[in-house]
Amino acid sequence: MKKLITAALLAAVAMPAVALPGAAQAQSNQELRRDRQDIRKEQRDLQQAQRRGNPRDVREQRRDVREARQEYREDLRDRNRNWGDNDWRAYRNGNRGIYARGNWRAPFRYTRFSAGARIGAPYFGSRYVIADPWRYHLPRAGRYQSWVRHYNDVLLIDTRRGVVIRAIPGFYW
């Protein structure tokens, strides 16, 4: 019995802690919020330096603003790169029936879209909107955004501008 308890304790210590996707997302959001606050602070400092008129202070504050913006962009890029991919991929591998393609056709040809592409309103009409993204373990769409099916792909669309925010090719089997 003593050996069993010792082995269990060693295994628990040796195994890394598993981070929950929601916790990672919350931490990432906090980092982004903190970075935006840093940018605002650096911009205020820059304005004060410009009012005082010392060229050296102005140069230093401009550099600080640039660095704060760069850090914000890097954190945003990291968050978007790791944005829930593992969650839906792992779920899809275990639940293939939910992701089965089925009989789905569109009145337009297939086009492979990528993030940043501008698409027409027929591509993200109500007929193609995924009404239940939680069923597929997709992240919640933000305000004025919706998940849309385009053949086997899934697109996150900014519905006001018609811009693809995120494209997941080969989402359905």
Side-chain angles (χ1 to χ4, degrees), residues 15-164:
M15 295 194 70
V18 177
L20 298 173
Q25 184 69 22
Q27 181 182 1
S28 176
N29 288 339
Q30 289 173 353
E31 288 176 10
L32 290 174
R33 194 174 306 118
R34 207 172 309 117
D35 287 346
R36 285 191 299 262
Q37 289 171 350
D38 288 345
I39 291 171
R40 285 192 295 270
K41 178 189 173 298
E42 295 298 341
Q43 287 174 334
R44 281 192 303 269
D45 292 346
L46 174 61
Q47 289 171 353
Q48 288 177 353
Q50 287 172 336
R51 274 188 237 124
R52 281 184 256 136
N54 185 346
R56 172 180 259 165
D57 289 344
V58 171
R59 274 195 306 273
E60 289 176 6
Q61 293 304 324
R62 282 186 180 147
R63 182 178 39 82
D64 290 344
V65 169
R66 270 195 311 271
E67 289 173 359
R69 286 182 179 154
Q70 179 64 30
E71 186 176 338
Y72 174 73
R73 282 193 297 267
E74 288 171 359
D75 285 348
L76 187 62
R77 193 177 311 120
D78 290 343
R79 186 191 75 169
N80 289 339
R81 189 176 298 133
N82 301 325
W83 193 41
D85 284 344
N86 295 331
D87 187 31
W88 70 263
R89 286 183 198 276
Y91 183 74
R92 182 179 71 167
N93 290 337
N95 301 288
R96 289 179 171 258
I98 294 174
Y99 294 85
R101 180 169 185 217
N103 188 11
W104 189 85
R105 299 194 189 284
F108 39 78
R109 296 177 118 178
Y110 174 78
T111 306
R112 184 166 181 151
F113 294 110
S114 60
R118 186 175 293 272
I119 63 174
Y123 286 97
F124 56 93
S126 61
R127 178 178 178 185
Y128 309 112
V129 171
I130 299 173
D132 51 355
W134 59 87
R135 178 179 179 205
Y136 302 105
H137 284 235
L138 289 169
R140 197 177 103 222
R143 189 172 184 189
Y144 302 115
Q145 297 176 355
S146 60
W147 286 102
V148 176
R149 182 171 184 173
H150 179 65
Y151 288 85
N152 284 350
D153 301 347
V154 172
L155 309 172
L156 180 61
I157 306 292
D158 178 347
T159 55
R160 291 180 300 170
R161 299 179 296 146
V163 175
V164 177

